[in-house]
Amino acid sequence: MSYGERYGWTVVQVAGEVDISGVAALRERLQRLVTDGCLRMVVDISRVDFCDSTGFAVLVATRRMLSSRDGQLRLVLPGPEVHTRKILQLFGIERIFDVHDSVDDALADLREPLLTADAAETAEVAEAVPRPREGTHAAAD
């Protein structure tokens, strides 16, 4: 498990198996992030090979914990052909969570639009033109 920040969201990446033998570490890390003030979280489980009901329960508990603090949780699932996703769909994961196919998709609405070449050139020209200070008038000779 690893985590970092993108666009003001904490992104937690989980890989391997999330089952009764390893779920305590996941629960502890997610709860710690929330109690430390993280209110916007993306949990990327796209590289999880297996997730049982205990792993699913940790995700639900984390979602509830965040919701109680007016936070948000977005979930990145494995690809549609992956068995783990099919199992999670049986749990009803797509009805409970805001699910995405990638971290980029989960954060897409947060990225600033890129300037086109024309818009960037216009912005550079606009910055180069001196502007009158407030309360003064520009005069032409």
Side-chain angles (χ1 to χ4, degrees):
M1 180 176 16
S2 64
Y3 66 97
E5 189 172 304
R6 286 179 62 187
Y7 305 108
W9 285 66
T10 300
V11 178
V12 179
Q13 296 183 323
V14 183
E17 295 185 2
V18 180
D19 59 13
I20 196 160
S21 65
V23 78
L26 178 63
R27 178 185 312 110
E28 196 173 296
R29 170 58 63 195
L30 295 176
Q31 286 178 352
R32 171 65 55 130
L33 288 167
V34 175
T35 57
D36 286 349
C38 169
L39 294 178
R40 298 181 301 176
M41 186 182 302
V42 174
V43 178
D44 178 1
I45 59 170
S46 64
R47 294 183 300 169
V48 168
D49 301 321
F50 177 78
C51 182
D52 68 6
S53 61
T54 60
F56 183 74
V58 166
L59 295 172
V60 171
T62 303
R63 182 186 166 280
R64 284 185 184 148
M65 195 174 184
L66 281 164
S67 291
S68 71
R69 292 171 164 83
D70 292 324
Q72 295 179 20
L73 175 67
R74 295 178 180 179
L75 197 59
V76 177
L77 296 180
E81 71 287 346
V82 178
H83 183 69
T84 304
R85 184 177 185 140
K86 293 174 184 175
I87 297 299
L88 291 170
Q89 286 173 322
L90 291 174
F91 288 142
I93 201 157
E94 292 175 337
R95 289 187 315 247
I96 298 169
F97 292 93
D98 180 9
V99 299
H100 300 271
D101 292 325
S102 71
V103 172
D104 286 338
D105 287 348
L107 300 173
D109 62 323
L110 306 171
R111 286 186 244 140
E112 295 185 73
L114 298 175
L115 291 176
T116 63
D118 291 342
E121 184 177 66
T122 303
E124 287 175 20
V125 170
E127 287 178 22
V129 175
R131 298 185 184 199
R133 291 189 217 156
E134 282 188 33
T136 63
H137 296 86
D141 286 74

